[in-house]
Amino acid sequence: MKFQDRAKINIKAGDGGNGSKSFRREKYIEYGGPDGGDGGRGADVVFRAVPNVNTLIDYRFRRDFRADNGANGSGRQRTGKSGETMYLDVPTGTVILSENGEIEYADLNQDGMEYRALRGGNGGWGNVRFKSPTNRAPMHANDGLPGEERTVLLQLKLIADIGLVGFPNAGKSTLLAAVTAARPKIANYPFTTLHPQLGVMYAHDREFVLVDLPGLIEGAHAGVGLGDLFLGHAERTKMILHIIDGTEEDWAARYKTIRNEIEEYDADLGAISLSSKPEIIVINKQDAVEPDAWKERTKKFSAFLKRSKSRTTNHQPPATIPISAAGRTGIEELIAVVEKEFLGL
């Protein structure tokens, strides 16, 4: 199934049915009179969050959704049938936005949540409603009201406990495969991961949902590379695992670039969300670097973290864990640190 996390669709609630203009004409009934029934109400449009679905692919090719109209009223004061509510199922974590994305209508972040996006039009009154002592034979009835219509933007923000961020080829997919049962595509070229991948990591009696986000590069918040299309999936996470390729000489430069993209993303939103989340730094590919070089880079990076933290906050630098995802070394230590950090949240 192809992953799709954004879709723009047109939705329209049902129109109300027309009221009936009818008169009684029954044998042996001395006095007739109006008996036109009301029109039925048009159907509403409701978005519903459903579990076990993590893509908006159903809205990729079909963009127009119209709910049923109400039926017209008829004689003998019979009201027309109302339209049945149209339910549009979306993955849990879907945000309903205005067409331009500036207004948030609803955030369906729990299974079973519903949002009534549009209301159907009221049915028109039949002519029996207009009968009065001075107007015993009303010759008019109301038309039904039109249902609401709108274009909305659906944006999926996956719900996960931990987000994996880092440059392309830092080893995020390899780490995901090492700690979960997920089998993401792994290859020796940039942007192997083209859409977020989910996996479940187990630690004792706890389980954590991980999301592997496509690699970020400098300028991602402004649309460079894969852009910021996938940073939104990290908004709901409780923690970030920042993966750094240990074969790079300057770990600090790589770290600063990704942190800058996260902070710029927050600035574009006008709020602090990603940059304030707890973070664990994972230095990957330990088995691909000479021990002396690894020791020297570790020393420089630790000094950089202490300097940068001392200039900004009084908090301790984030934990730094060396691993080899491909060689499965350091994985148990990483899981233990993740579990400990979660207990402190």
Side-chain angles (χ1 to χ4, degrees):
M1 179 184 295
K2 182 177 176 60
F3 181 83
Q4 177 115 2
D5 63 352
R6 292 171 69 90
K8 185 177 289 187
I9 62 174
N10 304 309
I11 53 177
K12 185 183 185 307
D15 298 333
N18 297 330
S20 172
K21 184 177 66 176
S22 174
F23 293 88
R24 294 171 58 189
R25 295 180 177 83
E26 302 177 44
K27 192 175 182 180
Y28 306 118
I29 301 295
E30 183 177 1
Y31 300 104
D35 70 346
D38 298 338
R41 181 181 176 82
D44 297 342
V45 178
V46 176
F47 287 97
R48 177 171 57 189
V50 296
N52 303 323
V53 177
N54 59 7
T55 176
L56 294 168
I57 189 66
D58 291 341
Y59 301 98
R60 183 183 182 190
F61 300 107
R62 183 183 175 189
R63 299 296 178 90
D64 294 297
F65 296 85
R66 295 180 175 270
D68 294 336
N69 296 330
N72 295 332
S74 58
R76 299 185 181 179
Q77 300 186 36
R78 287 176 293 190
T79 300
K81 181 181 179 181
S82 295
E84 294 187 7
T85 300
M86 171 180 278
Y87 288 96
L88 299 179
D89 291 339
V90 294
T92 301
T94 299
V95 180
I96 316 297
L97 303 165
S98 59
E99 182 177 5
N100 58 12
E102 295 181 355
I103 302 174
E104 181 179 311
Y105 297 131
D107 185 356
L108 307 182
N109 55 20
Q110 295 181 17
D111 292 344
M113 282 186 67
E114 295 182 358
Y115 167 62
R116 192 175 304 274
L118 300 177
R119 293 188 177 275
N122 290 328
W125 281 1
N127 65 340
V128 71
R129 294 260 195 176
F130 299 97
K131 181 180 178 181
S132 70
T134 58
N135 186 9
R136 295 179 178 275
M139 296 295 294
H140 69 279
N142 285 347
D143 292 337
L145 297 178
E148 297 175 329
E149 187 172 5
R150 182 182 299 162
T151 298
V152 297
L153 176 65
L154 307 181
Q155 182 174 349
L156 173 59
K157 296 181 180 180
L158 294 175
I159 297 178
D161 298 309
I162 302 170
L164 309 183
V165 301
F167 271 86
N169 274 17
K172 300 184 303 299
S173 297
T174 306
L175 176 60
L176 185 71
V179 298
T180 74
R183 292 295 174 264
K185 181 179 180 181
I186 300 172
N188 188 26
Y189 56 84
F191 299 114
T192 311
T193 302
L194 297 177
H195 55 78
Q197 298 278 350
L198 288 172
V200 179
M201 179 179 75
Y202 296 93
H204 298 97
D205 295 330
R206 295 178 60 92
E207 63 179 38
F208 305 96
V209 179
L210 277 64
V211 57
D212 169 22
L213 302 177
L216 302 176
I217 59 175
E218 186 173 1
H221 75 278
V224 179
L226 292 178
D228 62 354
L229 294 177
F230 303 110
L231 275 174
H233 295 293
E235 287 183 29
R236 301 187 191 276
T237 60
K238 299 180 180 67
M239 177 187 298
I240 290 177
L241 289 189
H242 191 146
I243 317 300
I244 297 176
D245 184 348
T247 62
E248 296 287 341
E249 291 189 6
D250 193 345
W251 297 351
R254 310 293 276 186
Y255 176 78
K256 285 191 294 185
T257 299
I258 298 301
R259 288 298 303 180
N260 181 65
E261 294 307 316
I262 291 175
E263 290 165 5
E264 290 290 341
Y265 178 78
D266 283 347
D268 291 342
L269 292 180
I272 298 177
S273 55
L274 295 184
S275 57
S276 62
K277 293 183 183 296
E279 178 186 41
I280 296 175
I281 301 173
V282 180
I283 311 296
N284 192 22
K285 305 183 183 180
Q286 184 180 19
D287 55 351
V289 181
E290 292 293 332
D292 290 343
W294 185 273
K295 184 177 180 180
E296 181 63 25
R297 293 173 191 177
T298 300
K299 183 179 178 180
K300 290 182 180 179
F301 189 60
S302 297
F304 158 76
L305 290 177
K306 290 179 181 178
R307 289 195 306 271
S308 60
K309 282 297 176 181
S310 64
R311 287 196 300 266
T312 56
T313 70
N314 293 323
H315 297 162
Q316 293 295 321
T320 302
I321 311 297
I323 69 165
S324 170
R328 305 293 177 103
T329 59
I331 300 299
E332 294 299 326
E333 291 81 357
L334 173 60
I335 293 175
V337 172
V338 169
E339 186 179 22
K340 179 180 178 181
E341 290 286 338
F342 253 87
L343 292 176
L345 294 180

